[in-house]
Amino acid sequence: MSNLDRQATPSVCGGRGFVVAEPVRELLAPRHVRLGGSTEVRRLLPNLGRRMVGAWAFVDHYGPDDIADEPGMQVPPHPHMGLQTVSWLHEGEVLHRDSLGSLQTVRPRELALMTSGRAISHSEESPREHARLLHGAQLWVALPDAHRNVEPHFQHHADLPVVTASGLSATVILGELDGAASPGTTYTPIVGADLSLTGGAEARLPLVPDFEYAVLSMSGEAEVDGVPVLPGSMLYLGCGRTELPLRALSDAGLMLLGGEPFEEELVMFWNFIGRSGEEIVQARKDWEEGSRFGEVRGYDGARLSAPELPATPLKTRGRVR
């Protein structure tokens, strides 16, 4: 999924200066963004008070939306660089196309993982004949400098490992949780898991103290470390935890996101992650004028144009790039 914000501005992410080294309970409110067609998303990252969680650099939550008489998700071809996209559904279907020639229908609890590397483009749309409801999350993982120019590739995993406890089922999307490892390719120490809790369940999830964590609420009513987290909101938890208490007040769906704090300073603009303003300027130029990002074939419609960059140079922590 793309950032379709036409008023996009460059932002600085990463670096340990943004990391909280101890356990905290910081509730993040979403920003509502229209994403073409009938889809509105709740954007949790980047957030005014929190830019990243580990290598997780972008989190959108959408739905559940009734799209029975609507086109549903319609995201035209657009570029990415320096990141991985993670598509995760609870309800509905999304058709993925990319400039590598990939064509894949993604269904609930299946991992669609696209690694942009130096450059890729893709589109996402609800199939013409689609389910009534659409509900899911779209997330980006920043690639570290050593791997940000890898060959672009796409992975689809329908079967993922599941960790169970009384009243809890945890599907491991990326990384490792409680000894279960996802088959998705990762480039930094990271974890992403989909948590399903039955009403009344109480559980303690094992965590890695060196990781920072956050929990996104997808549905239902649940308390995370004693804090009520409503659907479409996210609780940032900081570092230094060995376990996480969960309590479901009703059947509930959560997403656990975590990872080793991302030390590198990043520049993020629109659908690009780079290391300098110059890189972002060049990427935008290449998308608008060149062939670096390839072509998405089969999508019925025009590709997206990049928003304009601000006229003033990008300042990153006292330096101009």
Side-chain angles (χ1 to χ4, degrees):
M1 189 180 294
S2 168
N3 178 3
L4 302 189
D5 191 350
R6 305 312 299 171
Q7 265 70 86
T9 56
S11 61
V12 179
C13 305
R16 287 197 175 257
F18 291 103
V19 177
V20 180
E22 61 187 6
V24 295
R25 301 174 186 85
E26 181 182 303
L27 195 60
L28 304 180
R31 180 167 65 95
H32 293 263
V33 179
R34 177 62 61 180
L35 190 71
S38 56
T39 305
E40 182 180 82
V41 303
R42 290 164 287 280
R43 184 152 298 161
L44 283 310
L45 288 180
N47 191 290
L48 183 62
R50 181 64 44 200
R51 296 295 184 182
M52 296 179 70
V53 177
W56 299 99
F58 182 94
V59 176
D60 274 353
H61 172 247
Y62 55 91
D65 296 324
D66 187 336
I67 60 170
D69 300 317
E70 302 286 345
M73 183 182 294
Q74 298 295 323
V75 181
H78 57 278
H80 285 291
M81 77 168 191
L83 57 90
Q84 295 176 289
T85 64
V86 176
S87 299
W88 190 253
L89 288 170
H90 274 197
E91 295 180 277
E93 299 174 335
V94 172
L95 180 63
H96 166 96
R97 303 175 193 266
D98 63 41
S99 52
L100 304 176
S102 309
L103 178 63
Q104 179 66 54
T105 300
V106 184
R107 297 179 174 86
R109 269 82 180 187
E110 297 179 353
L111 172 61
L113 177 64
M114 186 182 75
T115 301
S116 69
R118 63 179 182 275
I120 201 171
S121 57
H122 75 141
S123 65
E124 291 177 297
E125 58 187 308
S126 296
R128 192 178 300 277
E129 300 295 327
H130 54 256
R132 182 180 191 90
L133 296 179
L134 179 65
H135 182 205
Q138 181 72 19
L139 312 99
W140 298 354
V141 178
L143 291 171
D145 190 62
H147 300 287
R148 65 191 182 105
N149 291 313
V150 299
E151 288 294 318
H153 57 275
F154 175 77
Q155 294 175 289
H156 174 250
H157 297 285
D159 296 316
L160 296 167
V162 178
V163 175
T164 59
S166 179
L168 169 68
S169 176
T171 301
V172 186
I173 302 168
L174 277 186
E176 184 176 326
L177 178 68
D178 199 23
S182 165
T185 301
T186 59
Y187 296 91
T188 58
I190 195 171
V191 66
D194 183 85
L195 313 178
S196 296
L197 296 106
T198 57
E202 295 189 29
R204 289 182 175 270
L205 207 60
L207 301 182
V208 178
D210 291 340
F211 281 17
E212 60 176 341
Y213 288 94
V215 171
L216 167 67
S217 175
M218 298 285 287
S219 61
E221 297 182 56
E223 291 181 354
V224 179
D225 197 16
V227 178
V229 184
L230 298 177
S233 62
M234 188 162 72
L235 184 68
Y236 176 69
L237 297 163
C239 300
R241 295 175 180 269
T242 58
E243 61 178 13
L244 182 63
L246 303 170
R247 178 170 175 259
L249 307 180
S250 68
D251 289 353
L254 306 170
M255 290 188 74
L256 174 72
L257 306 175
E260 191 174 276
F262 201 86
E263 293 191 358
E264 299 171 34
E265 188 175 298
L266 308 174
V267 180
M268 185 159 66
F269 171 75
W270 196 44
N271 299 298
F272 308 128
I273 291 182
R275 297 302 188 277
S276 69
E278 287 83 0
E279 284 186 15
I280 298 299
V281 169
Q282 187 62 52
R284 184 190 181 282
K285 179 182 171 85
D286 290 345
W287 172 246
E288 293 294 295
E289 301 177 2
S291 58
R292 170 183 166 189
F293 292 91
E295 181 181 353
V296 179
R297 300 184 183 277
Y299 182 83
D300 185 16
R303 69 180 197 167
L304 286 176
S305 294
E308 294 293 331
L309 280 159
T312 55
L314 174 61
K315 296 182 178 180
T316 58
R317 300 204 193 157
R319 300 188 303 276
V320 178
R321 293 184 173 182

